Amino acid sequence: MNGFEDGTVPRLADGILERRCGSDATAVVDLSTGEQVSYRTLARRTQALADLLARHGVGRGTTVAMVMDKSAASVAVMWAALRLGARYAPVDESLPSARVALLLGMCAPTVTLVHHRHRALLDGAPAGTVLTVGAEPPEEPGGKQWDPAAETDVRPTDASDRSPEDHAYVVFTSGSTGLPKGVVISHRSLCALLEGVQRVVGFDDGMRFLNVAPLFFDASVVDLWSTFLVGGSVHLLPRLRVPSQITRACEEWRITDTLLVSSVVRMLVGRFSDAGRRDLSSLRRLWFGGESCPVPVLRAFAAMVPGLTYVHGYGPTETTHSATLFLTDDIAGHDEEFLPIGSPLPSVDLLVVDDGLRPVPDGETGELLIGGPQVMAGYCGDPERTERALVSPPGSGGARYYRSGDYVRLRDDGALMFLGRRDDALKVNGNLVHLSEVEAAALAVEWVTDCCAVPAEHPVAGKVIGLFVLGRRDGTGPDEEELRRELALRLPAYMIPARIDFLADEDVDLTASGKLDRNRLRELTNK
């Protein structure tokens, strides 16, 4: 496997640059513009950007944030940060400015690259040196800009002081305390993931991977880095609006692999006839995860696109995207409601434990603990939260395990079945959402007295968020439109509740501790 044969952790970006910088093979296709970028060109652009970043203080142990649309330019940012020994931190450009500032404050970037369309998001934010991308017209003399088309000759990098424990990237997720978390992943963790995935699944240099996930979503690390390591091409799909974008791109570019959240797979099945039957015979593998996908949905997809291998991945962001995989090319042969989440990747150590963190007998339900080199370095600037998330169960010899909060059961064939969450989290379009964070945003609205966020089922979208709100403090009555506007200032779009219900005093059921009765409200939501 490229870069791992000697058992060492490679310098990821440098290793790819050294092997591919003279290649005219296509590395990136930007489907929003049609631009095709070769490995040679990407390497030369990366070197030019790395030189610019270094002049602004970027080096080992620093952070390069990016508030940009997905593009070949944003891929060059990731490469350049890693080449300098820095970590990259993608930030969703559609977020409200207050949340962008919060995330930047957590990761403390030395430099933030921002597309000129989103420059206003950084006003007053702790962004370090700001480099504007693609400004039109050019800024006044002395303005700090980056021309994504700039190139220079690729030069060797002195990486003698680098460590496998150096940070590779930061991904932000929803937090159970009402605040987001910045998950820090090291080079060792990322390379362990890539080695494991390629050993289990197997790739070749003809792979053409359709990247649907945003770059600020951890699924993108599998799409991009697995493909780059074998010299394949990554096809960047713009922000997903309709399922036909995927089928059209698969047909036009002869895509071999794509990774989708399960809700998108459901949409593809439900909308396939509307999009028209396309030639998807180039597809070899359909990757999916982020939430459970019913087997009948997969059977319907298999009937339309025969001959695929299905790769079901499971893993929290804190364990570098996928801790387990389940592969099958026989969906029709499965009669369960959901596929298992499979077996651990080669470097992953799993324990199924009771509430005391003691192993349960095989076949019994327990919480999943995940150990090994894929476990995160920690949360950005939050050692206390890191300490709570990483535990050393009895008999582990002090080894760190991530406490997933997921209940699982080991089947007789050795595959794990996912059974549910221990806490209040759920996956919405593949994004982990803690309902307490939705509640915290609602309670920050002046007139909200109390609220309760609950999971709900939608016939097409699958898991969505429902929000029950108690009264107005000023007594003027509920206003759903106003509440949605307020929430949009505080939360990303995927965390905005699909359904909001206002409770009158006579509708309120309280628990013994005086809180809104979640179980009762969940029953009301799903009626």
Side-chain angles (χ1 to χ4, degrees):
M1 188 301 207
N2 287 329
F4 297 95
E5 295 90 340
D6 60 359
T8 62
V9 177
R11 291 175 289 116
L12 188 64
D14 285 340
I16 295 170
L17 279 166
E18 290 164 3
R19 289 196 298 273
R20 311 289 180 192
C21 65
S23 172
D24 290 320
T26 300
V28 177
V29 179
D30 185 342
L31 298 183
S32 64
T33 63
E35 181 184 20
Q36 300 183 51
V37 181
S38 70
Y39 278 92
R40 184 195 304 272
T41 298
L42 182 57
R44 289 176 59 83
R45 291 180 181 178
T46 294
Q47 183 69 65
L49 176 57
D51 292 345
L52 175 62
L53 293 176
R55 291 197 294 271
H56 288 289
V58 174
R60 182 187 179 197
T62 61
T63 302
V64 176
M66 43 195 285
V67 186
M68 302 168 59
D69 302 309
K70 186 198 299 187
S71 65
S74 51
V75 173
V77 175
M78 298 160 67
W79 275 42
L82 296 181
R83 185 157 172 74
L84 292 171
R87 64 189 186 188
Y88 65 87
V91 176
D92 182 358
E93 73 281 359
S94 70
L95 292 173
S97 58
R99 193 171 180 92
V100 170
L102 175 64
L103 301 186
L104 293 177
M106 292 172 62
C107 68
T110 298
V111 171
T112 299
L113 292 110
V114 60
H115 195 279
H116 70 94
R117 289 195 301 271
H118 312 304
R119 182 62 182 83
L121 286 175
L122 302 190
D123 290 345
T129 298
V130 176
L131 298 180
T132 304
V133 183
E136 297 176 358
E139 292 183 354
E140 66 277 3
K144 297 182 175 67
Q145 293 176 261
W146 168 49
D147 176 6
E151 299 181 20
T152 194
D153 292 339
V154 178
R155 305 183 306 278
T157 296
D158 180 9
S160 58
D161 64 342
R162 305 287 176 84
S163 165
E165 309 310 325
D166 288 348
H167 299 167
Y169 65 84
V170 179
V171 170
F172 298 100
T173 69
S174 174
S176 59
T177 63
L179 292 173
K181 301 177 292 186
V183 180
V184 180
I185 299 298
S186 70
H187 280 265
R188 182 185 298 278
S189 296
L190 177 54
C191 292
L193 167 75
L194 298 177
E195 179 182 23
V197 168
Q198 293 200 40
R199 284 173 57 182
V200 172
V201 180
F203 299 131
D204 56 54
D205 58 7
M207 181 165 65
R208 296 178 296 278
F209 209 120
L210 179 65
N211 162 246
V212 178
L215 299 185
F216 54 81
F217 183 28
D218 67 336
S220 66
V221 302
V222 173
D223 302 6
L224 272 64
W225 296 114
S226 289
T227 307
F228 291 150
L229 280 172
V230 298
S233 57
V234 175
H235 299 247
L236 303 174
L237 192 74
R239 189 176 289 262
L240 187 63
R241 304 298 182 191
V242 292
S244 59
Q245 289 176 259
I246 296 171
T247 53
R248 184 168 59 247
C250 286
E251 180 182 54
E252 180 177 352
W253 294 96
R254 307 303 293 160
I255 296 299
T256 63
D257 293 76
T258 189
L259 191 160
L260 308 174
V261 294
S262 298
S263 56
V264 173
V265 179
R266 291 195 295 270
M267 287 193 292
L268 281 172
V269 170
R271 297 285 299 279
F272 196 91
S273 59
D274 296 334
R277 292 298 294 266
R278 295 186 179 272
D279 178 9
L280 304 183
S281 59
S282 62
L283 271 178
R284 302 174 192 169
R285 288 169 290 257
L286 175 65
W287 304 61
F288 64 97
E291 55 199 347
S292 297
C293 187
V295 167
V297 172
L298 296 174
R299 286 201 201 101
F301 193 89
M304 295 183 293
V305 188
L308 296 185
T309 295
Y310 292 81
V311 185
H312 184 199
Y314 159 85
T317 301
E318 288 85 347
T319 61
T320 320
H321 186 257
S322 290
T324 70
L325 289 179
F326 180 80
L327 275 68
T328 182
D329 54 10
D330 181 23
I331 290 294
H334 292 271
D335 55 7
E336 311 100 326
E337 183 179 359
F338 298 101
L339 291 180
I341 59 175
S343 302
L345 290 176
S347 66
V348 173
D349 182 28
L350 301 182
L351 295 175
V352 183
V353 300
D354 60 19
D355 290 342
L357 303 184
R358 296 176 296 269
V360 301
D362 290 351
E364 291 193 10
T365 297
E367 183 183 350
L368 185 63
L369 304 186
I370 304 170
Q374 286 187 211
V375 174
M376 66 175 178
Y379 295 120
C380 263
D382 200 336
E384 292 183 2
R385 184 183 270 184
T386 301
E387 187 175 351
R388 291 194 300 270
L390 302 179
V391 298
S392 296
S396 67
R400 297 190 319 163
Y401 287 77
Y402 175 68
R403 189 167 188 176
S404 72
D406 292 332
Y407 283 117
V408 299
R409 175 177 55 81
L410 188 67
R411 301 195 318 183
D412 292 340
D413 63 359
L416 286 168
M417 289 297 298
F418 174 81
L419 302 176
R421 291 286 300 168
R422 179 172 58 87
D423 56 17
D424 67 346
L426 73 156
K427 290 287 185 76
V428 177
N429 291 333
N431 298 283
L432 181 64
V433 175
H434 285 275
L435 296 175
S436 55
E437 188 173 3
V438 178
E439 293 172 355
L443 289 171
V445 177
E446 169 63 22
W447 47 265
V448 172
T449 303
D450 202 354
C451 66
C452 179
V454 297
E457 291 288 341
H458 187 278
V460 175
K463 289 285 186 184
V464 297
I465 303 168
L467 181 68
F468 287 91
V469 178
L470 183 60
R472 266 184 180 264
R473 291 193 178 106
D474 61 10
T476 60
D479 186 336
E480 180 174 343
E481 183 178 350
E482 179 186 351
L483 180 55
R484 289 190 179 278
R485 285 198 302 269
E486 293 280 355
L487 292 176
L489 296 175
R490 298 169 171 84
L491 297 172
Y494 67 82
M495 293 178 66
I496 304 297
R499 171 178 172 178
I500 296 178
D501 292 279
F502 290 86
L503 299 171
D505 289 345
E506 59 268 26
D507 298 327
V508 175
D509 290 310
L510 301 178
T511 64
S513 61
K515 298 179 180 179
L516 293 176
D517 189 335
R518 291 179 179 274
N519 292 332
R520 173 60 178 158
L521 294 176
R522 290 187 186 203
E523 292 174 4
L524 292 175
T525 300
N526 293 304
K527 279 187 176 180

